[in-house]
Amino acid sequence: SRRQRQMCIETGQVDDGKITVTAAIPPNATAKICLEPGAKLLETDGLTFAEQNGCPTAQVGSGQYRVSYTMEQ
């Protein structure tokens, strides 16, 4: 069976206000990628984010994902 993991990503590479995070989900696993409250998505690597508990959240399967965002002022 597939294992469920939760990854709450708060920081990553920061470049002139743009935050880029990478999440690697191992084979036969699923995860939720949760960004900081107030994150304004720039690049989502094809993922669909929905607000969950005030945070942009995406349900993902195995693979590597890269997401970029800025923080709303």
Side-chain angles (χ1 to χ4, degrees):
S1 69
R2 296 180 74 110
R3 296 178 310 217
Q4 174 71 39
R5 295 185 181 182
Q6 182 165 336
M7 300 175 60
C8 292
I9 300 171
E10 296 179 5
T11 59
Q13 179 182 352
V14 180
D15 182 21
D16 198 26
K18 178 179 171 182
I19 302 165
T20 302
V21 294
T22 302
I25 312 306
N28 300 316
T30 61
K32 286 182 183 178
I33 298 176
C34 308
L35 303 177
E36 298 177 79
K40 182 178 177 184
L41 297 168
L42 299 173
E43 300 169 29
T44 62
D45 210 8
L47 300 176
T48 301
F49 281 81
E51 191 163 316
Q52 185 175 358
N53 297 323
C55 302
T57 304
Q59 180 75 36
V60 298
S62 303
Q64 187 164 337
Y65 304 94
R66 182 176 152 160
V67 178
S68 297
Y69 62 97
T70 60
M71 292 306 297
E72 294 179 336
Q73 298 294 320

